[in-house]
């Protein structure tokens, strides 16, 4: 019994000591919320104690639809058509462009995107991104990439020489939002046929007031990606994102002038393959060249950049190009490295490596 009492006394003493230590040394402050959050309350220094002095009285109609609180900029009845957008997300007055692709376009330089067609390995992406291109055109229209794989590649080397870019599958809020929240700085939208589609692409690419992009967070807000850019990501991305719309169909040609003039469009792309596919003519024929020139003229009249395949890098007024895929780049690189030693393999007379003519 004496041993039991001693144990109880020891435990009580330890408990009192622990309590005293807690009162003298309060628990460590909780770690800050994830930097990928776009929640305006995420950085509240005292969570749970926020005051709401302008909140509607409990259980009463505040009449906010017709009467504004004192000091509000927007007075009178609420009307979205006359709403004066606030300055909470304005970039700093001295903000500079931090996207090198946007800056190069503004300077009139020729911009080239290397196409990552099927690879999902981050090391392959990063090798492409450091090979000399201005941006990487990650293919989401014609390949089976998923956004998790793309996000993983982009966050592995966000500050590589080439910035992350993507061709989405269609003008869709989900597609474009996934791309931007993952960190895309160049967005290419295919088969734009009308002004309505151009506006939709623009709306999902830009935050208000120019567009309708939702402020939902994602790795683009992370300091390891773009969260630490001068002026802040949310306040400066509208000035740094590059939006390229592809003219690929006869309907797109019909509306090319109006498409190119939609505010927020950085460049239009004369789709070399699909303009042939939809017109029925091959490059070099008068009808095909007429189609390309319609896109050319639309870009000039709107004052936007003109894009095409890399083989057109010397074509007048083209300053934005799509280069080959990662597999094509590997083949070219090996050929350049080996020189005269390339494709000099021995030719067995038998077995699986024998020429078809000599196989038994």
């Amino acid at each position: 019994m004496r041993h039991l009492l001693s144990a109880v006394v020891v435990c009580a003493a330890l408990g009192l000591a622990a309590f005293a230590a807690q009162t003298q040394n309060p628990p460590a402050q909780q770690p800050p919320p994830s930097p990928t959050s776009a929640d305006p309350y995420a950085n509240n220094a005292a969570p749970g104690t926020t005051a709401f002095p302008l909140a509607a009285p409990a259980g009463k109609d505040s009449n906010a639809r017709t009467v504004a609180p004192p000091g509000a900029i927007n007075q009178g009845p609420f009307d979205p058509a006359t709403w004066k957008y606030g300055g909470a997300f304005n970039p700093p007055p001295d903000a500079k462009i931090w996207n090198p692709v946007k800056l190069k376009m503004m300077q009139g330089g020729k911009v080239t995107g290397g196409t990552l067609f099927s690879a999902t390995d981050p090391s392959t992406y990063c090798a492409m991104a450091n090979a000399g291109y201005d941006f990487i055109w990650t293919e989401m229209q014609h390949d089976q990439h998923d956004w998790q794989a793309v996000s993983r590649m982009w966050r592995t080397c966000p500050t590589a020489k080439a910035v992350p870019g993507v061709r989405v599958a269609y003008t869709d809020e989900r597609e474009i939002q996934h791309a931007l929240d993952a960190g895309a700085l160049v967005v290419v939208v295919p088969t734009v046929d009308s002004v309505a589609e151009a506006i939709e692409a623009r709306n999902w690419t830009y935050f208000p007031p120019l567009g309708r992009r939702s402020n939902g967070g994602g790795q683009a807000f992370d300091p390891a990606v773009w969260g630490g850019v001068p002026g802040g990501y949310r306040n400066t991305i509208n000035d740094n994102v590059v939006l390229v719309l592809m003219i690929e169909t006869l309907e797109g040609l019909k509306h090319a002038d109006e498409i190119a003039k939609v505010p927020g469009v950085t460049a239009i792309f004369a789709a070399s393959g699909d303009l042939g596919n939809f017109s029925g003519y091959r490059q070099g024929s008068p009808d095909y060249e007429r189609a390309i020139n319609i896109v050319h003229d639309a870009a000039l009249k709107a004052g936007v950049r003109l894009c095409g395949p890399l083989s057109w890098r010397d074509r007048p007024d083209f300053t934005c190009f799509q280069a080959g895929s990662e597999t094509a780049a590997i083949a070219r690189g090996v050929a350049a490295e080996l020189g005269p030693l390339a494709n000099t393999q021995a030719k067995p007379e038998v077995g699986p490596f024998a020429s078809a003519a000599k196989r038994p």
Side-chain angles (χ1 to χ4, degrees):
M1 177 65 72
R2 187 164 50 192
H3 292 299
L4 179 60
L5 289 173
S6 298
V8 170
V9 170
V10 170
C11 290
L14 290 173
L16 288 171
F19 177 77
Q22 287 179 350
T23 57
Q24 294 174 8
N25 301 298
Q29 195 173 22
Q30 291 296 314
S34 168
T36 61
S37 173
D39 183 356
Y41 296 104
N43 297 315
N44 180 15
T49 62
T50 303
F52 302 96
L54 297 177
K60 295 183 179 180
D61 188 335
S62 69
N63 200 27
R65 185 171 292 279
T66 56
V67 180
I73 299 297
N74 293 277
Q75 293 290 327
F78 172 74
D79 184 358
T82 60
W83 184 266
K84 299 178 180 68
Y85 192 77
F89 301 104
N90 288 347
D94 57 348
K96 295 182 179 180
I97 299 299
W98 50 264
N99 177 0
V101 172
K102 187 66 172 283
L103 182 62
K104 191 174 182 181
M105 283 184 159
M106 293 170 64
Q107 293 172 343
K110 293 187 175 184
V111 170
T112 302
T115 306
L116 190 85
F117 195 89
S118 57
T120 57
D121 179 56
S123 62
T124 302
Y125 169 81
C126 292
M128 285 278 288
N130 283 302
Y133 302 108
D134 294 295
F135 71 97
I136 299 301
W137 173 308
T138 305
E139 182 55 52
M140 295 294 282
Q141 181 190 16
H142 290 295
D143 195 72
Q144 289 77 43
H145 285 121
D146 64 72
W147 285 111
Q148 285 186 331
V150 172
S151 297
R152 184 172 61 250
M153 290 190 293
W154 290 354
R155 68 174 173 261
T156 301
C157 52
T159 55
K161 295 176 183 178
V163 307
V166 62
R167 174 162 65 178
V168 295
Y170 36 82
T171 55
D172 175 82
E173 179 179 10
R174 183 180 186 276
E175 281 290 290
I176 296 176
Q177 190 82 71
H178 274 57
L180 293 164
D181 286 351
L185 296 181
V186 179
V187 176
V188 182
V189 182
T191 54
V192 177
D193 291 340
S194 66
V195 172
E197 284 186 84
I199 291 173
E200 185 179 17
R202 187 276 311 280
N203 282 348
W204 304 132
T205 299
Y206 289 88
F207 282 121
L210 181 58
R212 298 187 61 203
R213 180 183 171 189
S214 170
N215 194 22
Q219 70 181 28
F221 291 82
D222 194 307
V225 185
W226 316 130
V229 297
Y233 175 78
R234 167 61 182 87
N235 292 47
T236 62
I237 187 59
N238 273 11
D239 292 331
N240 282 273
V241 70
V242 171
L243 175 61
V244 182
L245 303 185
M246 300 189 72
I247 307 298
E248 308 192 64
T249 66
L250 300 181
E251 291 78 8
L253 289 175
K254 178 180 179 180
H255 301 110
D257 288 3
E258 292 77 20
I259 289 170
K261 291 177 182 177
V262 169
V265 174
T266 314
I268 55 174
F269 192 109
S272 57
D274 264 323
L275 278 173
N277 177 43
F278 283 96
S279 71
Y281 295 93
R282 296 189 181 278
Q283 183 171 330
S285 67
D287 293 271
Y288 178 94
E289 298 302 326
R290 180 185 184 185
I292 302 302
N293 289 341
I294 288 174
V295 183
H296 165 276
D297 297 348
L300 261 61
K301 284 182 278 190
V304 299
R305 294 293 165 188
L306 179 59
C307 304
L310 184 59
S311 59
W312 292 357
R313 58 185 173 270
D314 295 323
R315 189 168 181 141
D317 296 319
F318 279 79
T319 59
C320 167
F321 309 100
Q322 180 191 16
S325 68
E326 71 273 32
T327 52
I330 291 170
R332 289 193 304 271
V334 171
E337 180 182 34
L338 294 181
L341 295 178
N343 297 311
T344 58
Q345 298 91 342
K347 296 177 175 56
E349 295 184 3
V350 297
F353 296 100
S355 64
K358 294 184 178 180
R359 288 178 190 167

